[in-house]
Amino acid sequence: MFRLQGSKVLAVDMTGDAVKAKNGSMVAYDGQMAFKKMSGGGEGLRGMVTRRLTGEQMTMMEVKGHGTCWFADRASEINLVNLQGDKLYVESSNLLATDAGLRTGTSFTGMRGASQGNGLFTTTVEGHGQAAIMSDGPAVVLRVSSQYPLTVDPGAYVAHQGNLRQSFQSGVTFRTLMGEGGGEAFQIRFEGDGLVYVQPSERNTIAGDV
């Protein structure tokens, strides 16, 4: 149902089914479609409460009908992720669209969210189906194994999936080592077995040194 046209436009072919997408991301459609605004970042009361506590801003819409919809957001690169009953953790600002059958929720992530000003929670997507995530520049998918843990700059992190343990370690930043100040004085460490999506351009954060 999901396919890319180029690297920055997502086409979704529908035959009476539905898709959930970032509000305002639809750029065109043909056929007969119905649209409904949804609350995002999580479903049900828990999602509402966590968004209120963290100030998480994620508004989604449901599109249902027969035809094709095209989605894009600020010329971001789009990456398709196939879920086979597993869970994807993704920054809310990087989630473009999901199959309507996939469940979205929120997950506590600890210090990183608070220091970035993006809330203490990250968005989760789980079930069987496809999700489309965005990155500033072509995303790189890095494998984490028991022998090779991975450390990521928080500004470059987009998403991860698999059996991974996430922790935060303080110390000098990558940019501090390069003689540049103003960066986050912590990194995200992943251990276990899974995949981590990173982007080649760091998002702006408001933290400074923690």
Side-chain angles (χ1 to χ4, degrees), residues 81-90 107 124-127 141-145 157 159-166 190-197:
V81 180
N82 292 308
L83 296 177
Q84 302 294 329
D86 50 332
K87 183 181 292 188
L88 174 72
Y89 297 82
V90 57
S107 178
T124 60
V125 182
E126 61 183 317
V141 185
L142 302 175
R143 163 69 66 179
V144 181
S145 67
Y157 168 79
H160 73 273
Q161 65 183 126
N163 185 23
L164 292 176
R165 299 181 302 279
Q166 185 179 3
F190 293 95
E191 298 175 274
D193 183 37
L195 301 174
V196 178
Y197 299 79

Side-chain angles (χ1 to χ4, degrees), residues 84-150:
Q84 302 294 329
D86 50 332
K87 183 181 292 188
L88 174 72
Y89 297 82
V90 57
E91 292 291 307
S92 61
S93 59
N94 293 95
L95 181 62
L96 178 64
T98 72
D99 285 346
L102 290 173
R103 300 181 301 279
T104 57
T106 51
S107 178
F108 182 73
T109 59
M111 271 297 291
R112 178 178 55 84
S115 59
Q116 278 189 237
N118 289 343
L120 290 170
F121 294 81
T122 193
T123 298
T124 60
V125 182
E126 61 183 317
H128 291 81
Q130 288 182 296
I133 61 177
M134 300 178 293
S135 57
D136 186 2
V140 177
V141 185
L142 302 175
R143 163 69 66 179
V144 181
S145 67
S146 57
Q147 295 88 357
Y148 295 99
L150 180 70

